[in-house]
Amino acid sequence: MSTNQVNDLASLQPTDLDAGQVFSGKPSGTAIRGYATSSAYTPAIDPGYVFHESSRDMVVWFLGLREPLYVFGPCGCGKTSCIKQLAARLNYPVFEVTGHGRLEFADLIGHLTVRNGNMAFEYGPLALAMRYGGIFLANEIDITPPEVAAGLHGILDGSPLCIAENGGELIAPHPMFRFAATANTNGGGDESGLYQGTQRQNLAFSDRFMLCEMGYPDANTEIMLLNQRFPSLPDKLCSTMVEYANEVRKLFMGEASTGNLTNTIEITFSTRSLLRWGDLTVRFQPLAHQGIQPVTYALDRALAYRASRETRAMLHELAQRMFSQHTEADIKAMGSESGEEFLQGDTALRFMKSRLRYVPTVPQPRVYLQVDYGLPDQTQSGKFWTGEARPEGLMLQWGKQGTAGQQKLIPAEQCESGNVVLELECRAAKKLKDGYAFVPGKSLL
Ligand SMILES: Nc1ncnc2c1ncn2[C@@H]1O[C@H](COP(=O)(O)OP(=O)(O)OP(=O)(O)O)[C@@H](O)[C@H]1O
Ligand SMILES: [Mg+2]
C-alpha cells in the first residue's frame, strides 16, 4: 500500500448525508453516516445499478445498526454488488476478501514483508477496515474454515484486533468500521446440495450477525437492467428473456409452471448469467443473417452449456416455445438499431456508456463520432472525431471526413481519475451533446 493511499484513507472525514438524496436523488430528511469524499478504496459508482426491494434491509443496516451483517441468497443475485454500491454512494472504503477452504487468519489481518530492505508489516483487509473506518466485506463466508470464523468472534463483538506479529499492535475499531458478510446459505449448511464447499457455520458465529435474505430482482427490475445495459435489445425481447429466466428458476426449484416440464433441473439463471445472455445476444446478432438464432446461440454460451445434456435439451425446448413469438425480423431489427446506422443524443449516450462500462471487450475501445450538416443519409462535408483508449493514453483524431485530420495523445496520467476509458467517455459525451452522431459500425466497443 503506497503512502498516498494511506494518507488518502487517513484524511477521510465522516459526515452526515441525506439518505433519500444519496439513494434516490430526493431528500428525505433522514441522516445517514458516510464520508465527505471517496478514496482509492471506495468502489466506483455503477450508475446503472438498481436498488430493489432486497436492498432496503441493507440501507437500514447502513442507517446505524452496529451489528455485523450477513446477507445470504442464491448465486449471482447481487449480494456483493448491492453492498458495494451502497458503500460507493456513501463514500465508504471497502476492503474485500473472498472465502475459500484454505483461507487463513493472516490473510485478513496482514503479514510481515520486506520493504526497501527492511521488514515491515503489511496490513490485511480486516486491519485496514478497522483502522481507517471502512467496510470489511467477507464474501462466501460459508466456505471459510471454521477456525478462521472462530478467530473473528471477538471482532464481531466489537473488540480490538491484536496483531501479535506486529509487536502486539492493538487496533481499536474505528467508529465507522463495519463488518458485512455474504453467502449462498444462511449458515445452517446447504439443504439443496448445490453449493459445494459450503460448511455449516458454528452457531456462536452466526448468532453474532443481523441476517438479510436477498432474492433475484423482480421481473420489472431485471427487464429494466437489460434495457439499460443493452439498449439495442427490443423491449419485448427483454421481457421474454426475463420471463424465461424465471421459468428456469422455477424448474430449478421444482415449481415449473410451463406445460409438461415437470422435472427439476440442476442449474439456475442468476442475474449475472441473465446480463451475460443479453450481452451475448447483442454480440451474436450478426449470425441472424446466416439463419442462426442469436438468442438461443447466446443462451448456450451464457448458461446451457453448463447443464447436463438432458437439461440442455429441455432448456432449448422451453426457449423454442417462448421465443417463437419473436419473429426473425424482430431479431434482425436489433442490428439496425445498434448496427450500421447513426445513434444520436441520449440514445447514443446510453448505448456508448453501456458498451464502455459493462463490456470491456476489446483491449483498446474506440468511439467514432461524426457530424454531417444535414440529414444523416446526405453525406455532405462534415467532421469526424475518434477517441481510442490505449494503455499509454487517449488517442484523439479529428478533422474533416475523408481526410486523416489531426491527432493528439492525452497521456494516461492526465486523464480523468487516471482512467483512459473514463476520459474517452467524458469527451465523447460532450461531443454527442455538441451534435455529433455515434457510428456503431466504425466504433470498436
Ligand atoms: N440490482 C442490480 N442492478 C445492477 N446490476 C445488478 C443488480 N443485481 C445484480 N447485478 C449484476 O449481477 C452481477 C452479479 O452480482 P453480484 O456479484 O453482486 O452477485 P452475488 O449475489 O454476490 O453472487 P455470488 O453468490 O456469486 O457471490 C453483477 O455483475 C451485478 O452488477
Ligand atoms: Mg458475491
Side-chain angles (χ1 to χ4, degrees):
M1 188 169 168
S2 74
T3 325
N4 274 353
Q5 286 168 335
V6 173
N7 291 344
D8 191 24
L9 284 173
S11 65
L12 284 176
Q13 288 298 325
T15 184
D16 277 335
L17 302 161
D18 184 288
Q21 187 73 48
V22 169
F23 299 123
S24 64
K26 289 183 219 112
S28 63
T30 308
I32 190 164
R33 208 81 179 127
Y35 285 103
T37 51
S38 63
S39 74
Y41 291 89
T42 305
I45 291 184
D46 171 356
Y49 197 86
V50 179
F51 295 108
H52 50 93
E53 281 280 300
S54 316
S55 331
R56 195 181 30 214
D57 293 2
M58 282 180 241
V59 173
V60 169
W61 179 70
F62 267 102
L63 274 171
L65 291 170
R66 304 271 16 130
E67 288 204 300
L69 175 74
Y70 186 110
V71 185
F72 68 100
C75 96
C77 68
K79 302 178 291 295
T80 304
S81 50
C82 188
I83 295 182
K84 286 169 77 172
Q85 284 307 308
L86 290 169
R89 272 126 175 122
L90 297 168
N91 292 324
Y92 265 98
V94 175
F95 302 92
E96 216 174 341
V97 72
T98 296
H100 55 80
R102 277 175 299 156
L103 188 83
E104 291 178 10
F105 204 63
D107 297 330
L108 313 183
I109 57 173
H111 50 84
L112 283 167
T113 104
V114 179
R115 206 185 295 146
N116 304 329
N118 295 318
M119 290 302 276
F121 192 80
E122 187 86 46
Y123 291 110
L126 177 64
L128 288 168
M130 288 184 72
R131 184 169 175 155
Y132 295 108
I135 295 174
F136 175 64
L137 176 56
N139 287 308
E140 322 295 349
I141 192 87
D142 52 355
I143 311 185
T144 305
E147 62 276 16
V148 177
L152 287 168
H153 285 186
I155 304 297
L156 295 170
D157 291 339
S159 306
L161 175 68
C162 179
I163 309 181
E165 217 185 350
N166 198 26
E169 182 187 3
L170 210 57
I171 302 184
H174 187 288
M176 299 283 281
F177 164 63
R178 289 171 161 272
F179 191 120
T182 70
N184 290 129
T185 65
N186 63 3
D190 178 20
E191 287 165 9
S192 63
L194 289 157
Y195 296 113
Q196 240 182 38
T198 55
Q199 313 206 6
R200 196 185 164 83
Q201 304 282 297
N202 177 312
L203 210 59
F205 180 74
S206 13
D207 193 48
R208 289 172 152 81
F209 289 90
M210 159 182 168
L211 292 161
C212 167
E213 181 171 19
M214 186 156 194
Y216 293 115
D218 63 30
N220 286 340
T221 308
E222 288 199 319
I223 294 171
M224 188 158 89
L225 282 177
L226 280 175
N227 269 329
Q228 258 181 13
R229 293 207 183 183
F230 314 108
S232 65
L233 284 179
D235 293 356
K236 232 170 61 186
L237 190 63
C238 292
S239 336
T240 314
M241 287 170 89
V242 171
E243 214 178 298
Y244 181 90
N246 280 322
E247 269 319 305
V248 173
R249 288 165 186 168
K250 281 189 203 149
L251 277 169
F252 174 74
M253 304 296 286
E255 302 163 357
S257 62
T258 314
N260 57 359
L261 298 179
T262 47
N263 294 4
T264 302
I265 58 172
E266 75 284 7
I267 53 165
T268 190
F269 232 123
S270 64
T271 305
R272 184 189 288 124
S273 301
L274 175 69
L275 293 173
R276 184 188 305 125
W277 187 21
D279 181 20
L280 292 175
T281 302
V282 174
R283 263 164 218 292
F284 289 124
Q285 190 282 326
L287 295 180
H289 300 288
Q290 299 166 32
I292 298 174
Q293 229 275 24
V295 178
T296 39
Y297 191 86
L299 176 66
D300 269 338
R301 281 138 190 93
L303 178 84
Y305 275 157
R306 234 176 299 148
S308 66
R309 195 184 291 262
E310 202 185 13
T311 301
R312 192 172 152 230
M314 193 194 281
L315 291 173
H316 276 269
E317 189 194 326
L318 181 63
Q320 216 143 42
R321 209 181 308 160
M322 294 182 68
F323 288 95
S324 59
Q325 48 167 313
H326 296 277
T327 61
E328 234 168 81
D330 266 354
I331 312 259
K332 278 194 180 143
M334 270 164 56
S336 59
E337 264 178 66
S338 68
E340 302 317 315
E341 291 161 23
F342 297 86
L343 294 177
Q344 282 182 294
D346 279 352
T347 320
L349 199 61
R350 272 204 303 153
F351 182 75
M352 181 189 75
K353 284 191 172 176
S354 67
R355 309 303 292 180
L356 278 174
R357 290 204 183 151
Y358 306 115
V359 218
T361 44
V362 275
Q364 300 188 5
R366 185 176 71 219
V367 169
Y368 183 94
L369 307 174
Q370 68 183 42
V371 61
D372 293 319
Y373 300 112
L375 294 169
D377 55 350
Q378 300 172 334
T379 32
Q380 296 179 20
S381 66
K383 291 188 274 183
F384 79 95
W385 181 94
T386 314
E388 185 175 286
R390 300 181 178 177
E392 68 274 19
L394 179 63
M395 179 55 95
L396 297 178
Q397 208 170 344
W398 69 95
K400 266 199 157 202
Q401 280 171 41
T403 69
Q406 304 178 48
Q407 59 180 48
K408 177 179 162 193
L409 182 88
I410 301 175
E413 57 276 15
Q414 284 174 25
C415 288
E416 173 87 30
S417 315
N419 182 328
V420 186
V421 178
L422 207 60
E423 180 76 30
L424 168 62
E425 187 188 304
C426 295
R427 286 181 179 253
K430 190 164 174 301
K431 287 280 168 206
L432 286 171
K433 286 213 178 77
D434 291 347
Y436 276 71
F438 180 76
V439 189
K442 289 190 183 171
S443 297
L444 203 65
L445 296 178

